[in-house]
Structure formats: C-alpha cells, structure tokens
Amino acid sequence: MATLHHHPLCPHSRFIRLALGEMGSDAQLTEVRAWERRPEFLALNPAGATPVLVDEQDFVVPGPGPICEYLDETRGLALGRNRLLPDDVAGRVEVRRLLDWFNGKFFDEVSSYLVTEKIYKRFMAADLGGGPPDMNTIRAARTNVRYHLRYIGFLLGRRHCLAGETLTYADLAAAAHLSCVDYLGDVPWSEDEAAKAWYARVKSRPSFRPLLQDTVPGMAPAAIYADLDF
Amino acid sequence: MATLHHHPLCPHSRFIRLALGEMGSDAQLTEVRAWERRPEFLALNPAGATPVLVDEQDFVVPGPGPICEYLDETRGLALGRNRLLPDDVAGRVEVRRLLDWFNGKFFDEVSSYLVTEKIYKRFMAADLGGGPPDMNTIRAARTNVRYHLRYIGFLLGRRHCLAGETLTYADLAAAAHLSCVDYLGDVPWSEDEAAKAWYARVKSRPSFRPLLQDTVPGMAPAAIYADLDF
C-alpha cells in the first residue's frame, strides 16, 4: 500500500487525500511535523514540506503539484469520465491555473497564515517559531478569505464546478484549503451563497469523510465543521 | 504569432522565454508592470502576475507552471530527444519537483526579494509599495542564495543536468531565476564551482542570448552579466 506523509491540518496534504479518495486509492497516513526538519523526512523531500507520497514500489513523489500530475499520469485514464484533470487542452490549463490559485495564492494569503498561527505554532518549539498566534496575521487572513469566496462564487456563476462542468482537481484543492480554514471557524460563509452551496456539495462526497473526522489535540474543530447542513 | 506578456526581470517570464527559445517558437514580447494591476491584464490573468502566454489562436495560458505544461502537451512530442519534460514517469516527477523548487522556493527566498527590492520598487508608485530597497530583505536573499547554489552543486555531483542527464525545464527555471540575481550582481559564484560551470553551459545556449541583451532603465546589469567566461 502507498504511504502519504502528511499533517492533518496541512491543506496541501488534504488536497492529495481527497484526490486519492476520489480515485478509490488507499494510502496509509503517516503524520509529519515538517517544522522539526527530521533527516529521514528531508531525505524524502529536501524541500521539507508535506505532503509526500511513497508509492507501492517505494517511488517517492513530493509536493501537491507533482503528486497530482503523477496520479493523473498513472491512474487518470482509468477514471474515464471521472478523470480529475480533463482530457482537453483548455480544460487542463484552467485546472492548473486554479491549482496555482488555491495551492499558491490562497495558501499564501489565507490558509498558511491561519494554520501556522493557530495550529503549527502550538506544537513548535520556541526556537523554531512556536508561541502564541500573531493576531495581525490572523486578521489579514480573515480579510483575504472574503475575496477568495467571492472569486469562487464568480466562477460558479458560469459553471457547475470551479474549472468547468465536472469535478476536477481544482474543486478538491479549493475545498481542501477551505476545510482547514473551516476547522478553525474562520470561513464567513454568509459572504457568498454560491460558494457555500458548492462547498456543501464537495463536503458531502465520500472522499471528504476522513477529513471531517480529523482532530488536532487541544484544538477542537468549529461547531459546523463536520455538519453537512452548515 | 503568440504573445508573451512579461517583465524583462521577472524570473518566471524568463523561464518561459527560455522554454520558447529551446522549442524554436517565436513570441512577441509585451512588457507588463504587474503591480499596476491594469484591468486589461487582470482580464488575462486574474492572479495579476506575469508571465501570460496568448497563443496564435488567442488562447490564454497564465502562469509559468500551466504554460510549460501546455507547451509540452502541444509541442513537446515534436521535440523528440530534446523534449524538456521527459517521457518517463520518474523523470517527470523529478523535473516537476525541481520546478517547484526554483519557481516556488528559490523565488520566495531569493529572486522575488531581490527583483522586488532592487527593480520593481524603483518603478512602483509610493502608494503601491515603491521606494528605496529594504536592506534587511536584500541581505536575507544574499544569504539564502548560497545554500541554493550548493544544492545545485549537490545535484550536479550525480548528474550532467539538474534533473538528469539531459536539459529539461528544471535547468531553464533554475537558470532563469539565477539570471535575474546575476543581473543584479548578487550571485556569489565562488560558492560552488559545479553550479558555476553548469550556469556557464546554460548561459551559452542560443535561447539565452535575448535575456543577456535585456536592460532595465537606470539599472545597468552587473559587469559579468553578459560575459560567457565570467
């Protein structure tokens, strides 16, 4: 069985867990605290970040982008109409554009701030940056998430899913990042009804169930986190 | 003819210019000052960043990752043995891992700092963040570039090129980012002889020539910038 080195609240790890779930692929989960920079983890990924997929043949694939391209190249065609990276060139460009948007921009402006300040810093040693959350950073993330929700709503005004009419990696990445923010109670769902309805759809998929059962010691999820009718 | 919306000192734009050059594809260059956030540019790329490729059929592809995948999917097979994204799964994973390394990590730790502080801020209005460079940021970038050079040297201890035995996107991305830092005179080439020899090889390729002719008003390149025997 494959192994996914992840952290329960790492949004990039959650994206890959959703992708594996949609593909019906099982993977054993190994929790990593990337900030500890353990040599055995750096040997798997010199960049020192989660997720890292180690396949059945011990083949190592680090990072959300390389992993999702790898999964598509090795398992995508077998999914037929449920393939998560479309067959057509224009569809592929749009999915990859939105993967950059959520795994890059949303991460840099929202999910990394919130997960680092509220979760990771609880577990980090003081000399590695641990300590109480910085409220200015949290406020910036809470402001930024609003325009991202409106952008999701804008896309859904023209399409059933984020990159087109069918579910793709773009939906999984966006939902993965939002799920971390939602765990922390920081998604203002009233900002955009279309974004909320889309998230409720993705959240109801079987692939999402394991994420809704995640908990971090000492930090219970927000009340609506696992509620499918939030 | 295709159009590439770029900035002469944007490392991600330079990566795509090198890729187009290696493929023998001409593109008309249109300079963009992304920080001005002009509506006509945001319509091409809502993320507001260079590069954006507009193909012969007016098809829009934004961002270095989506563009290089698009170029490979539409023109890669025709390159045969000179294909810049290898045919084999392991080779593709390694190239994409290193693309993340240079377009993500190196950009965040080195090239974005230096280009923003030394170039972009000269041309930005004060209310958009313009002004004199922040020396602490520049010092951080100058420290970080050293370990990246050593990492390049480490890779070259095992291989002829960064991702394997042949030239790939990984070499072009790494060289593109380094070329911006080199323009500014901030690459300590004595740090790693193997990295320096590899850069001299890439810099001598015909695809590199247009980059060596770039100049930014009021900021001449470092003396060794265009020298092939630096």
Side-chain angles (χ1 to χ4, degrees):
Chain A
M1 189 190 291
T3 300
L4 186 72
H5 298 262
H6 84 128
H7 186 279
L9 267 286
C10 160
H12 296 130
S13 300
R14 288 183 156 222
F15 163 48
I16 297 303
R17 288 167 69 196
L18 290 175
L20 289 166
E22 291 292 331
M23 291 177 173
S25 294
D26 268 341
Q28 178 184 316
L29 297 177
T30 299
E31 186 171 330
V32 175
R33 294 179 173 186
W35 58 86
E36 294 177 350
R37 301 186 63 75
R38 292 182 188 272
E40 59 271 26
F41 183 63
L42 291 175
L44 292 178
N45 184 9
T50 47
V52 177
L53 182 72
V54 181
D55 215 339
E56 291 82 351
Q57 292 80 32
D58 288 334
F59 180 63
V60 179
V61 191
I67 295 173
C68 77
E69 296 283 352
Y70 169 76
L71 290 175
D72 183 69
E73 288 176 355
T74 53
R75 308 171 196 198
L77 282 179
L79 297 175
R81 291 179 53 207
N82 297 320
R83 189 173 177 186
L84 296 165
L85 190 60
D87 293 326
D88 64 302
V89 168
R92 296 167 81 80
V93 168
E94 184 63 352
V95 169
R96 290 182 177 128
R97 178 182 80 83
L98 291 171
L99 282 177
D100 278 359
W101 187 284
F102 292 103
N103 285 337
K105 198 171 176 64
F106 189 95
F107 180 73
D108 288 344
E109 298 174 355
V110 182
S111 54
S112 176
Y113 280 165
L114 291 170
V115 170
T116 302
E117 293 300 326
K118 290 188 162 189
I119 304 281
Y120 295 167
K121 281 172 75 173
R122 289 176 167 249
F123 300 100
M124 286 175 178
D127 60 335
L128 295 176
D134 179 87
M135 287 311 296
N136 285 332
T137 304
I138 290 176
R139 270 191 290 273
R142 285 179 177 156
T143 300
N144 294 340
V145 72
R146 293 183 180 274
Y147 98 83
H148 283 284
L149 283 177
R150 292 196 300 273
Y151 187 57
I152 289 172
F154 164 79
L155 293 172
L156 294 166
R158 306 182 299 168
R159 309 161 168 174
H160 185 62
C161 291
L162 291 191
E165 297 310 312
T166 60
L167 186 91
T168 67
Y169 280 144
D171 300 279
L172 304 184
H177 285 267
L178 277 166
S179 76
C180 295
V181 182
D182 200 39
Y183 185 100
L184 300 168
D186 286 324
V187 184
W189 287 115
S190 59
E191 186 78 22
D192 194 287
E193 282 302 315
K196 183 181 176 182
W198 159 85
Y199 185 69
R201 269 196 284 139
V202 182
K203 186 177 176 178
S204 302
R205 298 182 71 85
S207 65
F208 224 91
R209 267 181 226 143
L211 275 61
L212 298 179
Q213 289 157 11
D214 282 341
T215 53
V216 174
M219 185 83 190
I224 60 158
Y225 174 65
D227 184 354
L228 296 181
D229 294 311
F230 57 105
Chain B
M1 191 189 290
T3 301
L4 186 72
H5 298 262
H6 84 127
H7 186 279
L9 266 287
C10 160
H12 295 131
S13 301
R14 288 183 158 222
F15 163 49
I16 298 302
R17 288 165 70 195
L18 290 175
L20 288 167
E22 290 293 331
M23 291 176 173
S25 293
D26 268 342
Q28 178 183 316
L29 296 177
T30 299
E31 185 172 331
V32 175
R33 295 180 170 185
W35 57 86
E36 295 177 349
R37 301 187 62 75
R38 292 183 189 271
E40 58 273 26
F41 182 62
L42 292 175
L44 292 178
N45 185 9
T50 46
V52 177
L53 181 72
V54 181
D55 214 338
E56 291 83 350
Q57 292 80 32
D58 288 334
F59 180 63
V60 180
V61 191
I67 295 173
C68 77
E69 296 283 352
Y70 168 77
L71 291 175
D72 183 70
E73 289 177 354
T74 53
R75 310 172 194 197
L77 282 179
L79 297 175
R81 290 180 53 206
N82 296 321
R83 190 174 176 186
L84 296 164
L85 190 60
D87 294 326
D88 63 304
V89 168
R92 296 167 80 80
V93 167
E94 184 63 352
V95 169
R96 289 183 177 126
R97 177 182 82 82
L98 291 170
L99 282 176
D100 278 358
W101 187 284
F102 291 103
N103 285 335
K105 198 171 178 64
F106 189 95
F107 179 73
D108 288 345
E109 297 174 355
V110 182
S111 54
S112 176
Y113 281 165
L114 290 170
V115 171
T116 302
E117 294 301 325
K118 289 188 163 189
I119 304 282
Y120 295 167
K121 281 173 76 173
R122 290 176 166 249
F123 299 100
M124 286 177 180
D127 60 335
L128 294 177
D134 179 87
M135 287 311 295
N136 285 331
T137 304
I138 290 175
R139 270 191 290 273
R142 285 179 177 156
T143 301
N144 295 339
V145 72
R146 294 184 180 274
Y147 97 82
H148 283 285
L149 283 177
R150 292 196 300 273
Y151 187 57
I152 289 171
F154 164 79
L155 292 172
L156 294 165
R158 306 183 300 168
R159 308 162 170 173
H160 185 61
C161 292
L162 291 192
E165 296 312 312
T166 60
L167 185 90
T168 67
Y169 281 145
D171 300 279
L172 303 184
H177 285 268
L178 277 166
S179 75
C180 294
V181 182
D182 200 38
Y183 185 99
L184 300 168
D186 287 325
V187 184
W189 287 116
S190 59
E191 185 78 22
D192 194 287
E193 283 302 316
K196 183 180 177 183
W198 159 85
Y199 185 69
R201 269 197 285 138
V202 181
K203 186 177 175 178
S204 302
R205 298 183 71 85
S207 65
F208 224 92
R209 266 181 226 144
L211 274 60
L212 298 179
Q213 289 157 12
D214 282 340
T215 53
V216 174
M219 184 83 190
I224 59 158
Y225 174 66
D227 184 353
L228 296 181
D229 293 311
F230 58 103

